[in-house]
Amino acid sequence: MVKTQRGRPRSFDRLTALEQATMAFWERGYETTSVSDLTRAMGISAPSLYAAFGDKKTLFEEVVEVYATSYGAYGGRAFAEESTARGAIGRLLGEAAELFAEPGHPRGCLMISAATNCSTPEVEESLRARRNANLASFEARIQQGVEAGELPADTDARALARFSGAVLQGMSQQARDGATAAELAAVAETAMRAWPPAPARVPAENAPDAASDANSGAAEETAPETPAGRGA
């Protein structure tokens, strides 16, 4: 008995269509991207879109997941590969500057720009939750830096994390407004110069020992060394 195949085989490449949907949402945002915009960009019919991806909201959720693991993966790499909070967030901002102005795709960050004027509560909340999760990871990494002595003990980890997040979001909007990669990189570098300096550490070979302390006497009357040099 010959079994008949149900339905027609898909006549398009799903991954290619998903990439085209990503470009559409990235360029226009969630709210102003219609199903007609999507079918035109993806080169498929509305019934095919619904059959392969579900409705517009479900498609967007998949787009965001794909974006996070492809174009947006630079942040995770920076946090995984850099040993300090300063290095991780500095690299994240530097690579964002390149991505946000890179040719070949829309400018800025999809997760930031797609939320503009969004009136669909589920989508708005999902994107907000992702951005807040990023801020939480910034804060946790900065707090680790404080505990490791990389940053001063009185560093406000939450405020510094929010500052870094605000810079990232501002860079995305400036990229949408035409800022170049070099201009965005300058913003990232300036932001990192606003970080608190690393605590001064006295090299072990320069630390005074007990004997020298006991015989310091009049030496304590001389001008102390400063970071700028002896007697400066």
Side-chain angles (χ1 to χ4, degrees):
M1 179 178 179
V2 178
K3 294 184 179 180
T4 58
Q5 186 177 18
R6 293 185 178 181
R8 291 182 298 176
R10 188 175 295 154
S11 60
F12 64 91
D13 181 80
R14 193 180 190 281
L15 292 178
T16 299
L18 188 58
E19 173 73 5
Q20 292 163 335
T22 300
M23 296 299 110
F25 281 126
W26 195 348
E27 178 63 37
R28 299 181 180 89
Y30 177 80
E31 203 66 39
T32 58
T33 303
S34 67
V35 171
S36 295
D37 292 330
L38 291 167
T39 56
R40 184 164 50 252
M42 299 164 76
I44 61 177
S45 66
S48 294
L49 185 153
Y50 293 128
F53 300 101
D55 60 12
K56 173 184 165 181
K57 183 170 71 69
T58 304
L59 171 59
F60 181 72
E61 290 169 354
E62 186 170 353
V63 160
V64 169
E65 290 294 338
V66 170
Y67 177 90
T69 57
S70 54
Y71 296 102
Y74 61 90
R77 288 194 300 268
F79 272 52
E81 297 173 9
E82 298 296 327
S83 60
T84 65
R86 191 186 305 270
I89 295 181
R91 174 175 164 182
L92 180 150
L93 292 177
E95 292 192 9
E98 296 179 10
L99 173 74
F100 290 175
E102 192 175 59
H105 57 68
R107 286 172 158 259
C109 173
L110 180 148
M111 292 190 205
I112 296 171
S113 60
T116 304
N117 298 324
C118 182
S119 60
T120 304
E122 299 90 344
V123 172
E124 184 181 22
E125 176 56 33
S126 175
L127 292 173
R128 184 187 303 114
R130 283 181 175 272
R131 293 193 300 272
N132 286 338
N134 285 339
L135 289 178
S137 67
F138 286 11
E139 182 179 348
R141 190 60 178 271
I142 292 168
Q143 187 59 44
Q144 288 176 6
V146 173
E147 293 168 1
E150 173 204 344
L151 294 166
D154 62 352
T155 299
D156 187 333
R158 178 173 295 245
L160 189 54
R162 285 200 168 275
F163 167 74
S164 302
V167 171
L168 184 67
Q169 292 175 9
M171 287 169 58
S172 175
Q173 184 57 55
Q174 289 197 12
R176 302 279 290 189
D177 290 341
T180 66
E183 290 170 333
L184 296 176
V187 171
E189 291 168 6
T190 301
M192 294 310 298
R193 285 199 291 272
W195 275 47
R201 295 184 179 182
V202 179
E205 62 269 20
N206 293 338
D209 55 27
S212 62
D213 285 345
N215 298 317
S216 58
E220 293 179 354
E221 300 299 324
T222 63
E225 290 190 12
T226 72
R230 189 180 301 272

